[in-house]
Amino acid sequence: MKFFIDTANLAQIAEAQELGCLDGVTTNPSLMAKEGIKGHDNVMQHYQDICTIVSGDVSAEVISVDFDGMVKEGKELASINPQIVVKVPMIEQGVRALRYFTDNGIRTNCTLVFSVGQALLAAKAGASYVSPFIGRIDDISSDGLALIEEIRLVYDNYGFETEILAASIRHTMHIVHCAKIGADVITSPLSAIKGLLKHPLTDIGLEKFLSDYRESQ
Ligand code: E4P
């Protein structure tokens, strides 16, 4: 299972990279805005900076919602660095753009996926990754993890190679459950990844080892 961090914050990306478990980064226009990244050149430079920190895939999202605009933007994003994966929304023009990018050797992440049907379309169009937003589904009293299970079933039925990238992770147990049900990738805030570290018996055990050591000296 791959671990991606879902942020455009360079310090957090660097911290996650130093932890030694990071396989990539996902961003979106909201996350870029949160970091105050404005203007074409700054945005491009920021993606390049992220690629310098991590060695894995970096999702960079198009802003256009028409086919020609998405293709133009996607080509430019992909030219920044071979690590860039072009993030395309699950809309009709987006599916066309996914097919175009697939046919032209540009890797893609289909974003804003909330149903099995959408995930099936993304796979048919050759998306490298599909991003079901599990937290946003949970937020409206539905079951985000169930969607991951259903997509897993459908992809396995037909051998689709599109990787299931569980997105909109809200907490540590989302990651654990995604691992159990076969998501290929999770993208998560750093806090939820670091939550995997925690167990009170680890802390108690370590304290006992250290105090026994100190007393024996
Ligand atoms: C996915 O790639 C998105 O960037 C992200 O996971 C959305 O999460 P949110 O629902 O917390 O905004």
Side-chain angles (χ1 to χ4, degrees):
M1 184 192 217
K2 293 183 201 166
F3 275 22
F4 290 176
I5 186 170
D6 194 30
T7 183
N9 182 285
L10 297 181
Q12 285 191 19
I13 293 168
E15 187 180 343
Q17 176 68 20
E18 282 165 17
L19 189 60
C21 307
L22 191 67
D23 299 298
V25 177
T26 52
T27 63
N28 63 40
S30 302
L31 293 171
M32 294 288 278
K34 190 172 163 192
E35 299 307 316
I37 315 299
K38 291 180 198 158
H40 173 271
D41 292 354
N42 290 334
V43 168
M44 296 295 138
Q45 182 59 49
H46 199 75
Y47 288 135
Q48 181 54 55
D49 292 346
I50 294 173
C51 291
T52 304
I53 297 171
V54 299
S55 51
D57 291 347
V58 175
S59 284
E61 188 160 342
V62 297
I63 307 299
S64 302
V65 290
D66 64 294
F67 174 78
D68 291 339
M70 282 190 253
V71 165
K72 183 167 178 280
E73 264 189 74
K75 282 179 172 173
E76 188 179 11
L77 289 167
S79 74
I80 296 173
N81 189 296
Q83 290 166 248
I84 293 286
V85 175
V86 178
K87 212 169 173 188
V88 177
M90 173 35 79
I91 55 176
E92 186 170 343
Q93 299 303 305
V95 174
R96 284 185 60 201
L98 287 172
R99 171 48 60 195
Y100 176 89
F101 291 132
T102 303
D103 292 345
N104 287 275
I106 292 175
R107 294 180 305 138
T108 52
N109 174 356
C110 182
T111 191
L112 290 168
V113 166
F114 295 92
S115 75
V116 183
Q118 290 178 326
L120 184 54
L121 262 185
K124 288 289 293 177
S128 315
Y129 297 101
V130 65
S131 289
F133 277 32
I134 64 173
R136 293 194 195 185
I137 293 174
D138 289 356
D139 288 345
I140 58 159
S141 299
S142 196
D143 189 347
L145 289 165
L147 175 59
I148 300 290
E149 283 182 308
E150 289 170 5
I151 297 171
R152 179 77 283 152
L153 175 69
V154 169
Y155 281 12
D156 289 351
N157 280 347
Y158 297 100
F160 285 119
E161 290 180 1
T162 301
E163 293 186 63
I164 302 173
L165 195 174
S168 187
I169 297 271
R170 295 275 189 264
H171 51 74
T172 300
M173 286 309 291
H174 265 157
I175 301 176
V176 174
H177 289 310
C178 281
K180 286 184 181 175
I181 61 182
D184 298 295
V185 192
I186 55 93
T187 190
S188 163
L190 181 58
S191 57
I193 294 173
K194 288 174 92 173
L196 294 167
L197 282 166
K198 296 187 172 100
H199 199 289
L201 292 179
T202 302
D203 299 337
I204 292 166
L206 181 60
E207 180 50 39
K208 177 78 173 124
F209 285 156
L210 295 179
S211 66
D212 287 347
Y213 169 77
R214 281 192 297 270
E215 281 167 23
S216 69
Q217 299 306 297

